[in-house]
């Protein structure tokens, strides 16, 4: 081979190698790989987490999965709005960001890149751990910060519980902020009540010691999600016994002088609680007030030493709750003291030359005291002494002295002295011994031998001179040795006793004695005087003989007074004060040395004496008069008090009672009543038909009649006899008019005469009279009265006198009787030209009414004409006439089916015998009203104005009124609508005090408003507010006035309804916004669905991708095919959406009622007879129940015709064989909806229609989960809904059960879209839904996997 050939060979080999290398390198570069793999990440709940994923040489599409659930290829994940894919897709950055992380986000995430060409799929896992801090830290059974009581040596168990943490928290114990490391700590972890959280429990066992007292034990929870550890703590309170007590302040054996301050202090240290310290003296508690400082208790007992403290045993005891017996410390106190007192005993009086013995003794002392005696200033020797031990401590000293009394003076002075040399203390006691002499005889002075009035006070003085000691004076009354208390005094040797006494009648004539005595007398010395007392009698005694009195007898009455001084005078009085002369008077001696008076009275007995009071009066000039009285009881037969011609007036129609009560004694009487000799029944024996009865003296007439007049007799009987009396009944009854003309018709200028007669009882000349309000009765008329009759003359009658005169009959019984007599003056008709009558209105095709009104007499007749042509009753015109009042007549012409040619001028002609008149009425179309007329002010108060007006023409429609008003000087108006709307008067309230206002008014109807009247009506409110509790001057009360309470209630209810409406509107707007957002997302997400199905269909990538890589095939990926198409995202913690969940795009609209069907919008299938309806624009209305209706439509339309599509089957109710023609479903196909149709479902031509409304309700209740209320026919096309077209070339229709009324979103038109999975997606097919109710609904859905939505 030559060189050139070799060169060419080499060149070919090189080119081949380069080609192979190039091909190899290209294949290598086509493989995709991770440049940054996601890492395991922890994040606190509520924070943001980012998992990073970056792919180099990316070929396939990337997505994330969550625990094998595919999240989709979109950068925003609709079903997980908190998830966002971040980074540049062109640079292979697919970082997933999770905001506001929750426990649901705790999962394994996988970044997946699908295969493409020769590039194989890749994936990378990372675990996202959501950290949840513990929700609470607690020490079980104890409130945080509480104190735990225990005793020394007891074992305590503290349990710390940390709840709901993820991962489980760590627990550390502290004592006084020092960590505890002990083998007695036991930690356990368990699942919390909340899912995927853990509780940690730590147990710490403690044996209580004194140093644990007041120690804080802290349980601290540590967790990576906590910024700072959480703590819970308790404090221990350990009880233990205190230390023994100690006494300081005195040493055993020391000597304390009486009066010296002693401070004994007892201290006990330690213990919990601190010790209680109590002081005892000789086993008696003396001090229990102790104080604590730090760790010790202290009780300080301070006192001044007394004699009783000598040899006293002081003990202090310390104890707390843990000591079984108190701990003790004690001392014995030694006190030096002198005697407190010295006592000298012996006689206090003695006669000259008497020998007296005295003894002197001391109280206890330490040491014992020495005693000395001093007699009249000179020390004398004692006769003997002794020392004894005192039971109170120390010693008691005593000494005796005997001496003879000498006549050296009036007294002998003896002193005893007790001396304690060691204490330099002397105590002395002196005793005086009196030397006694006899006094002179006593003498009484004062009221001696004088007369004293009863109950007055008087004084007596008794005096005795001389004697040692002075005489003792005492007072006594004769016959008694009871001393009378008096005021005794003595000055030197003079003794006096002043006696002050109240005079008592019992003491009259008694002897009063004064007795003097002293030790020198053998007996008493006495002086006496006699007491003289004046007194009045206290009571009288009156007696009657004989005891039972009857008319014709003589009665003797005696009166006797009790004792008096001087004698009493007796006087007799009759009940009316008349003095009666007695038959005789006498006196006899009485008690207390007084005199008794007696008087006798005699009288003849008559019935009139019964009940008469006879009084006896006594007086003697001393004190008040006294009386005694007796009421005489005379037995007599009944007596009537009424005169013999007794008459009683009763009123007809009313009940009446006639009383003929008799007077008798005895008062128990029986009565009987008679009329015309016939007995009247007693009330208790009468029945319901007995109108006249009696009850004792009472004659009872339940309803008085005129024929009840006449005489009635009453018989009264008692034990003494009987008596009768007669009464005449005069029945009175109301006056009533029996004769009066109803009308007096007369010519103008004449005089009119009226006559009126009445009947009644009584009747007088004033019973009947004539009147007329507003008429000059005094100047124009004259009345001639008579008994029961009245004549009236009205002079010179004019047309204006037409009106009603009233004849009034009134006799004071019942209501007045009134009859009207109309005075009618003849005149020809006068036409009413009011604005509301000169115009009439009516719209074309309606009935218009023209009203004409005239006044005149006699009766008026009407006629109507137009352009000179009389109008007669016909189908076009109708006429009616009515009398408004006595002289006013009204004619109404109805024009039916108004046309434009009917508008114009009409003539109304009124006629009577006096002449003819006419008026013109214009008929036009309805219009806005004319302004009201004659607005004026009726009344004014301090805050309101009462306005009235006349109506203008109402424009042929119902009109209302509106007031406007303003303050003078203020250009701004305020407005008020008149309510009720049909009134022409109104009270405008809420005005300012003392302010002038301008008022205007306008009318309005449905076609517009009139002009306001000119501001010429003024009014000023009152300047004074009515006093509190006084009602303001009343305005006219009208039916239209609305109570303020009702206004307030309406205001509150209206406000509540307004708030409710605002809330509902806000809810509607929010929901509509969400739907619009969902629709936008739905349109954007349509392209990704096909790619997803293409990637994860079971026939794709069987050789290159396994189940782990493409986890979206699992049950968790069933919702992926709806990515971006759902209008309302379910909460993330809800169940995953399965393939049977379908979505629909609704059009807003109004609620439609009735059954419905849907026909194809395809010219080839237009045989259904329903045309294509264009899709209406979106409406702002929407219905709260829309989702429920759409879900119902979705469930009814769904069928599982292709069971093997996802390799799953469902347990559902088999469909009826009748449904084989639609949806490609045979009789054995399992489906959820619709239920087996009613037998009335039938095939008519090519459309299958089920109309449950045509069948009884009970026939289909067993076949449907809810009662069908409408039908929807959806024709199938291209074999989508059935295995083959029907014989006519059309597909079968779908019956749908929907509860009605339909939601607003289903009104109008809509489109349905579907495709057959075996043929691939098909173009959207328009279908028209026709409803048999009042409206149509058109629904448009998204494409689904072979199922109609």
């Amino acid at each position: 081979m030559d060189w050139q050939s070799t060169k060419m060979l080499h060149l070919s080999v090189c080119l081949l190698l380069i080609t192979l290398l190039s091909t190899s390198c290209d294949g290598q570069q086509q493989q995709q790989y991770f440049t940054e793999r996601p890492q395991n990440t922890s994040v606190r709940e509520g924070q943001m987490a980012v998992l990073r994923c970056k792919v180099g040489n990316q070929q396939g599409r990337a997505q994330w999965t969550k625990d094998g659930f595919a999240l989709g290829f979109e950068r925003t994940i609709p079903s997980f709005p908190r998830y966002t894919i971040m980074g540049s897709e062109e640079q292979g950055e697919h970082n997933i960001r999770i905001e506001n992380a929750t426990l649901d986000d705790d999962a394994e995430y996988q970044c997946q890149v699908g295969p493409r060409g020769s590039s194989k799929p890749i994936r990378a896992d990372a675990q996202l751990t959501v950290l949840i801090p513990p929700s609470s830290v607690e020490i079980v059974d104890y409130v945080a910060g509480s104190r735990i009581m225990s005793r020394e040596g007891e074992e305590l168990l503290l349990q710390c519980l940390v709840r709901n943490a993820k991962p489980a928290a760590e627990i550390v114990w502290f004592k006084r902020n020092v960590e505890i490391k002990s083998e007695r700590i036991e930690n356990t972890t368990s699942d919390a009540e909340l899912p995927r959280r853990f509780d940690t429990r730590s147990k710490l066992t403690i044996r209580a010691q004194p140093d644990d007292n007041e120690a804080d034990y802290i349980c601290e929870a540590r967790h990576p999600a906590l910024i700072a550890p959480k703590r819970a703590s308790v404090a221990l309170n350990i009880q233990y016994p205190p230390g023994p007590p100690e006494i300081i302040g005195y040493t055993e054996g020391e000597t304390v002088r009486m009066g010296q301050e002693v401070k004994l202090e007892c201290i006990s240290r330690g213990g919990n609680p601190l010790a209680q310290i109590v002081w005892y003296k000789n086993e008696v508690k003396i001090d229990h007030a102790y104080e604590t400082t730090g760790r010790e208790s202290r009780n300080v007992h301070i006192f001044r030493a007394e004699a009783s403290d000598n040899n006293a045993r002081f003990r202090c005891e310390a104890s707390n709750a843990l000591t079984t017996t108190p701990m003790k410390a004690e001392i014995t106190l030694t006190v030096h003291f002198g005697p407190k007192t010295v006592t000298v005993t012996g006689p206090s009086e003695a006669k000259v030359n008497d020998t007296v013995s005295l003894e002197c003794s001391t109280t206890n002392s330490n040491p014992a005291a020495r005693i000395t005696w001093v007699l009249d200033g000179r020390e004398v020797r004692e006769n003997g002494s002794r020392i004894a031990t005192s039971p109170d401590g120390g010693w008691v000293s005593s000494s005796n002295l005997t001496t003879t009394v000498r006549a050296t003076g009036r007294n002998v002075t003896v002193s005893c002295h007790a001396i304690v040399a060691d204490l330099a203390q002397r105590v002395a006691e002196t005793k005086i011994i009196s030397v006694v002499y006899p006094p002179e005889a006593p003498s009484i002075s004062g009221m001696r031998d004088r007369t004293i009035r009863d109950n007055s006070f008087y004084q007596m003085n008794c005096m005795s001179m001389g004697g040692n000691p002075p005489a003792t004076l005492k007072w006594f009354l004769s016959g008694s040795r009871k001393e009378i208390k008096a005021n005794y005094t003595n000055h030197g040797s003079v003794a006096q006793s002043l006696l002050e006494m109240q005079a008592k009648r019992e003491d009259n004539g008694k002897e009063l004695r004064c007795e003097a005595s002293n030790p020198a007398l053998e007996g008493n010395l006495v002086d006496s005087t006699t007491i003289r007392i004046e007194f009045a009698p206290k009571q009288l005694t009156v007696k009657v003989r004989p005891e039972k009195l009857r008319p014709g007898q003589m009665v003797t009455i005696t009166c006797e007074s009790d004792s008096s001084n001087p004698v009493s005078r007796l006087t007799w009085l009759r009940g009316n004060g008349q003095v009666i002369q007695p038959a005789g008077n006498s006196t006899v001696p009485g008690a207390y040395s007084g005199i008794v008076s007696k008087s006798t009275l005699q009288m003849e007995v008559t019935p009139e004496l019964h009940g008469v009071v006879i009084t006896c009066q006594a007086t003697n000039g001393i004190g008040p008069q006294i009386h005694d009285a007796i009421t005489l009881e005379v037995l007599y037969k009944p007596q009537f008090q009424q005169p013999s011609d007794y008459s009683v007036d009763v009123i007809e129609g009313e009940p009446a009672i006639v009383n003929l009560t008799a007077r008798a004694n005895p008062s128990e009487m029986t009565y009987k009543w008679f009329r015309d000799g016939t007995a009247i029944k007693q009330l208790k024996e009468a029945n319901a038909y007995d109108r006249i009865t009696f009850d004792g003296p009472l004659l009872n007439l339940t309803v008085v009649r005129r024929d009840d007049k006449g005489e009635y007799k009453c018989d009264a009987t008692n034990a003494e006899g009987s008596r009768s009396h007669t009464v005449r009944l005069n029945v009175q009854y109301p006056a009533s008019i029996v004769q009066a003309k109803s009308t007096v018709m007369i010519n103008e200028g004449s005089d009119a005469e009226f006559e009126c007669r009445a009947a009644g009882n009584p009747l007088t000349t004033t019973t009947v009279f004539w009147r007329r309000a507003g008429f000059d009765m005094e100047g124009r008329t004259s009345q001639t009265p008579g008994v029961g009759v009245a004549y009236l003359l009205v002079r010179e009658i004019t047309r204006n006198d037409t009106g009603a005169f009233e004849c009034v009959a009134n006799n004071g019984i019942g209501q007045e009787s009134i009859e009207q007599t109309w005075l009618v003056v003849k005149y020809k008709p006068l036409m009413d030209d009011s604005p509301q009558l000169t115009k009439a209105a009516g719209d074309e095709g309606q009935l218009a009414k023209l009203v004409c009104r005239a006044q005149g007499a006699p009766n008026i007749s009407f006629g109507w004409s137009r352009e000179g042509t009389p109008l007669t009753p016909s189908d076009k015109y109708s006429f009616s006439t009515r009398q408004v009042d006595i002289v006013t007549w009204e004619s109404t012409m109805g024009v039916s089916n108004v046309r434009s040619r009917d508008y114009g001028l009409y003539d109304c002609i009124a006629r009577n015998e006096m002449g003819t008149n006419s008026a013109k009425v214009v008929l036009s179309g309805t219009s806005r009203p004319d302004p009201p007329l004659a607005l004026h002010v009726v009344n004014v108060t301090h805050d309101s104005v009462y306005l009235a007006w006349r109506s203008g023409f109402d424009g042929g429609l119902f009109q209302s009124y509106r007031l406007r008003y303003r303050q003078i000087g203020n250009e701004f108006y305020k407005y008020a609508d008149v309510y009720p709307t049909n009134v022409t008067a109104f009270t405008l309230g809420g005005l300012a005090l003392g302010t002038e206002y301008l008022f205007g008014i306008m009318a309005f109807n449905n076609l517009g408003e009139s002009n306001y009247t000119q501001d010429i009506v003024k009014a000023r409110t009152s300047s004074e507010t009515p006093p509190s509790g006084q009602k303001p001057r009343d305005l006219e009360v009208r039916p239209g006035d609305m109570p303020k309470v009702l206004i307030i209630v309406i205001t509150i209810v209206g406000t509540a309804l307004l708030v409710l409406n605002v809330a509902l509107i806000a809810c509607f707007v929010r929901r509509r916004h969400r739907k619009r957002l969902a629709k936008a997302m739905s349109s954007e997400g349509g392209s990704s669905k096909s790619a997803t199905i293409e990637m994860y269909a079971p026939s794709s990538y069987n050789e290159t991708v396994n189940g782990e890589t493409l986890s979206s095939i699992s049950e968790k990926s069933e919702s992926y095919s709806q990515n971006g198409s759902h209008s309302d995202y379910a909460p993330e913690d809800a169940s995953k959406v399965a393939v049977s969940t379908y979505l629909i795009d609704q059009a807003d609209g109004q609620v439609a009622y009735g059954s419905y069907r849907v026909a194809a919008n395809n010219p080839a299938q237009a045989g259904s007879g329903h045309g294509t309806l264009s899709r209406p624009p979106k409406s702002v209305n929407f219905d709260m129940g829309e989702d429920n209706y759409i879900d119902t439509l979705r469930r009814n339309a769904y069928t599982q015709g292709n069971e093997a599509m996802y390799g799953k089957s469902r347990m559902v109710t088999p469909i009826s064989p009748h449904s084989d023609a639609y949806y490609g479903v045979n009789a054995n196909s399992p489906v959820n909806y619709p239920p087996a149709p009613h037998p009335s479902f039938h095939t008519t031509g090519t459309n299958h229609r089920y109309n449950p409304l045509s069948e009884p309700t009970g026939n289909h209740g067993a076949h449907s989960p809810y009662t069908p209320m409408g039908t929807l026919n959806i024709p199938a096309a291209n074999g989508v809904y059935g295995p083959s077209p029907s014989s006519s070339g059309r597909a079968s229709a779908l019956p749908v059960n929907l509860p009605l009324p339909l939601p607003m979103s289903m009104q109008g038109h809509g489109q349905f879209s579907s495709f057959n999975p075996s043929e691939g997606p098909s173009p959207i097919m328009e279908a028209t839904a026709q409803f048999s109710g009042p409206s149509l609904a058109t629904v448009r859905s998204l494409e689904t996997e072979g199922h109609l939505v």
Side-chain angles (χ1 to χ4, degrees), residues 319-473:
S319 63
N320 70 0
L322 275 72
T323 56
T324 56
T325 57
M327 291 175 282
K328 306 176 182 178
E330 51 183 36
I331 58 168
T332 300
L333 193 65
T334 301
V335 180
H336 280 187
F337 57 93
K340 285 185 178 181
T341 59
V342 174
T343 303
V344 177
T345 59
S348 298
E349 297 177 346
K351 297 179 181 179
V352 178
N353 297 322
D354 285 348
T355 298
V356 296
S357 297
L358 304 173
E359 182 179 7
C360 177
S361 60
T362 67
T363 56
N364 61 323
S365 64
N366 183 24
R370 182 175 61 85
I371 296 177
T372 61
W373 291 89
V374 176
L375 180 64
D376 287 337
R378 57 186 179 84
E379 186 175 348
V380 295
R381 180 178 296 181
E382 62 187 4
N383 295 105
S385 62
R386 66 180 183 276
I387 297 174
T389 301
S390 172
D392 296 328
W395 290 267
V396 175
S397 301
S398 61
S399 175
N400 295 324
L401 174 65
T402 301
T403 184
T404 301
V405 177
R406 304 297 179 187
T408 56
R410 299 176 63 85
N411 297 308
V412 175
T413 303
V414 180
S415 299
C416 172
H417 297 263
I419 303 169
V420 180
D422 293 347
L423 301 177
Q425 181 179 357
R426 177 188 293 266
V427 180
E429 173 70 13
T430 300
K431 185 175 182 62
I432 305 298
I433 301 176
S434 296
V435 180
V436 296
Y437 303 94
E440 296 179 0
S443 174
I444 296 176
S445 61
M447 295 295 294
R448 186 166 188 156
D449 299 328
R450 295 176 62 181
T451 301
I452 306 166
R453 183 159 291 185
D454 188 24
N455 291 323
S456 63
F457 288 89
Y458 64 93
Q459 289 182 343
M460 296 284 189
N461 187 43
C462 180
M463 178 183 295
S464 177
M465 304 179 64
N468 186 35
T472 299
L473 302 176

Side-chain angles (χ1 to χ4, degrees), residues 676-839:
D676 297 334
T678 302
I680 297 173
K681 287 186 179 180
Q682 195 170 1
L683 179 63
K684 62 183 179 180
E685 299 173 353
N687 54 42
Y689 302 101
D690 293 322
R691 189 172 47 83
I692 303 177
T693 58
F694 76 91
D695 185 10
L698 303 179
L699 178 66
N700 181 22
L701 292 85
T702 56
V703 179
V704 175
R705 296 177 182 172
R706 296 184 189 184
D707 57 2
D708 292 335
K709 66 180 181 180
E711 292 186 349
Y712 295 79
K713 187 180 75 170
C714 177
D715 289 346
T717 304
N718 73 348
E720 299 294 319
S722 299
R723 186 160 294 175
S724 300
H725 198 73
T726 301
V727 59
R728 176 176 294 275
L729 292 188
N730 178 33
V731 179
Q732 297 180 340
Y733 50 92
S736 61
I737 297 173
V738 296
Q739 179 182 341
K741 290 184 178 180
S742 61
T743 304
V744 174
M745 188 170 294
I746 196 166
N747 292 325
E748 193 170 8
S750 302
D751 294 342
E753 295 182 353
F754 298 82
E755 178 184 358
C756 182
R757 294 183 178 274
N761 182 27
L763 290 177
T764 66
T765 57
T766 61
T767 301
V768 185
F769 60 93
W770 289 90
R771 70 186 180 190
R772 177 176 172 181
F775 194 81
D776 185 9
M777 297 292 292
E778 185 176 354
R780 297 278 312 280
T781 68
S782 61
Q783 296 195 48
T784 304
V787 177
V789 64
Y791 302 95
L792 175 69
L793 176 65
V794 183
R795 293 181 290 271
E796 298 178 358
I797 299 299
T798 66
R799 182 183 305 172
N800 295 331
D801 294 334
T802 297
F805 288 84
E806 289 183 347
C807 174
V808 182
N810 188 358
N811 63 353
I813 307 298
Q815 300 293 327
E816 62 183 14
S817 176
I818 302 174
E819 290 289 342
Q820 286 188 341
T821 298
W822 280 88
L823 174 61
V824 180
V825 181
K826 297 180 180 180
Y827 62 96
K828 75 174 185 177
L830 294 178
M831 308 305 293
D832 188 342
D833 57 356
S834 300
Q836 62 267 34
L837 297 178
T838 59
K839 296 180 181 181

Side-chain angles (χ1 to χ4, degrees), residues 640-649 660 710-712 724-730:
F640 291 96
Q641 305 301 311
Q642 292 80 7
S644 58
D645 58 347
Y646 182 52
S647 176
V648 175
D649 293 335
L660 277 184
E711 292 186 349
Y712 295 79
S724 300
H725 198 73
T726 301
V727 59
R728 176 176 294 275
L729 292 188
N730 178 33

Side-chain angles (χ1 to χ4, degrees), residues 1240 1242 1250-1256 1259:
S1240 64
H1242 55 276
Y1250 168 48
N1251 186 359
L1253 297 178
S1254 64
E1255 297 296 330
N1259 292 341

